[in-house]
């Protein structure tokens, strides 16, 4: 027997906003129309349980990324006194899709990836006293950096480039 999650209209609206998603994006994720999503958020109709589960699952994925990443950062800074990091974020869906195909099944929108980065930034500052800067990927500058340093395309190369932007 399934357990009803029971998000009310306000909770549904705040969940969408906490994920930095538009009404259209929630509709796309849950396979409902924008009008249906708005009716949930206005309290005019109940939120389907599958839609609630999908959005809460994404929120859980982001929280797991925050925990895993902050644990790794904490371990890093036990050995290294440096207290600043840079994370690459993606200014458009096209750039995000091009550079992060491995995340598309769990975090299909750049907004979700960037939300995870923002939450990591806040957690690192509050708990670890580490300053994390979010750096928007500039594709041309990144490609030039890779060529100049003989690097291949990878998450590590993007992280190195982001560090040069601090």
């Amino acid at each position: 027997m399934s357990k009803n999650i029971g998000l009310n209209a306000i909770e549904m609206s705040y969940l969408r906003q906490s994920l930095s998603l538009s009404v259209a994006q929630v509709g796309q994720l849950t396979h409902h129309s924008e009008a249906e999503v708005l009716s949930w958020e206005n309290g005019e109709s109940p939120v389907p349980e599958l839609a609630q589960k999908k959005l809460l699952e994404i929120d859980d994925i982001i929280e797991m990324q925050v925990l895993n990443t902050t644990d790794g950062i904490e371990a890093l800074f036990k050995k290294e006194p440096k207290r600043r990091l840079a994370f690459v974020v993606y200014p458009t869906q096209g750039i995000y899709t091009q550079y992060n195909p491995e995340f598309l099944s769990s975090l299909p929108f750049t907004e979700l990836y960037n939300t995870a980065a923002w939450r990591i930034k806040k957690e690192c500052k509050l708990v670890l006293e580490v300053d994390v800067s979010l750096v928007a990927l500039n594709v041309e500058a990144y490609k030039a950096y890779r060529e100049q340093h003989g690097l291949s395309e990878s998450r590590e190369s993007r992280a190195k480039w982001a560090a040069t932007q601090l």
Side-chain angles (χ1 to χ4, degrees):
M1 190 185 314
S2 72
K3 180 180 175 186
N4 188 353
I5 299 164
L7 294 177
N8 66 34
I10 292 170
E11 292 166 333
M12 187 65 188
S13 177
Y14 287 153
L15 176 58
R16 176 182 61 79
Q17 292 172 42
S18 77
L19 295 172
S20 299
L21 294 175
S22 68
V23 170
Q25 289 169 319
V26 168
Q28 188 176 348
L29 283 171
T30 62
H31 307 291
H32 289 84
S33 70
E34 288 181 51
E36 289 171 306
V37 174
L38 287 172
S39 75
W40 305 337
E41 292 188 4
N42 293 329
E44 297 163 357
S45 65
V47 184
E49 190 173 331
L50 288 177
Q52 293 178 51
K53 283 183 179 181
K54 178 67 176 174
L55 294 176
L56 289 169
E57 176 184 290
I58 288 170
D59 191 62
D60 287 344
I61 290 167
I62 289 172
E63 286 305 310
M64 286 305 299
Q65 285 188 336
V66 171
L67 289 173
N68 291 338
T69 304
T70 54
D71 285 350
I73 291 169
E74 184 176 29
L76 171 72
F77 286 125
K78 284 183 179 178
K79 299 175 183 175
E80 186 180 324
K82 185 179 172 188
R83 306 305 282 184
R84 287 194 56 159
L85 288 174
F87 283 177
V88 174
V89 292
Y90 301 89
T92 68
Q93 183 67 34
I95 293 172
Y96 173 70
T97 302
Q98 178 183 350
Y99 285 96
N100 290 292
E102 71 275 15
F103 289 130
L104 295 179
S105 61
S106 59
L107 301 176
F109 293 116
T110 186
E111 288 84 359
L112 294 170
Y113 179 90
N114 293 347
T115 295
W118 173 255
R119 290 184 188 179
I120 290 166
K121 173 186 172 72
K122 298 306 290 177
E123 186 77 9
C124 284
K125 183 65 177 172
L126 292 171
V127 177
L128 304 177
E129 297 179 358
V130 172
D131 287 320
V132 174
S133 297
L134 303 181
V135 178
L137 182 65
N138 177 317
V139 175
E140 295 308 316
Y142 169 59
K143 285 180 180 178
Y145 174 83
R146 278 192 2 236
E147 282 181 26
Q148 183 180 17
H149 293 88
L151 300 172
S152 62
E153 165 35 39
S154 68
R155 291 178 72 187
E156 292 77 20
S157 295
R158 280 178 263 149
K160 288 177 184 177
W161 171 81
T164 67
Q165 304 304 300
L166 295 178

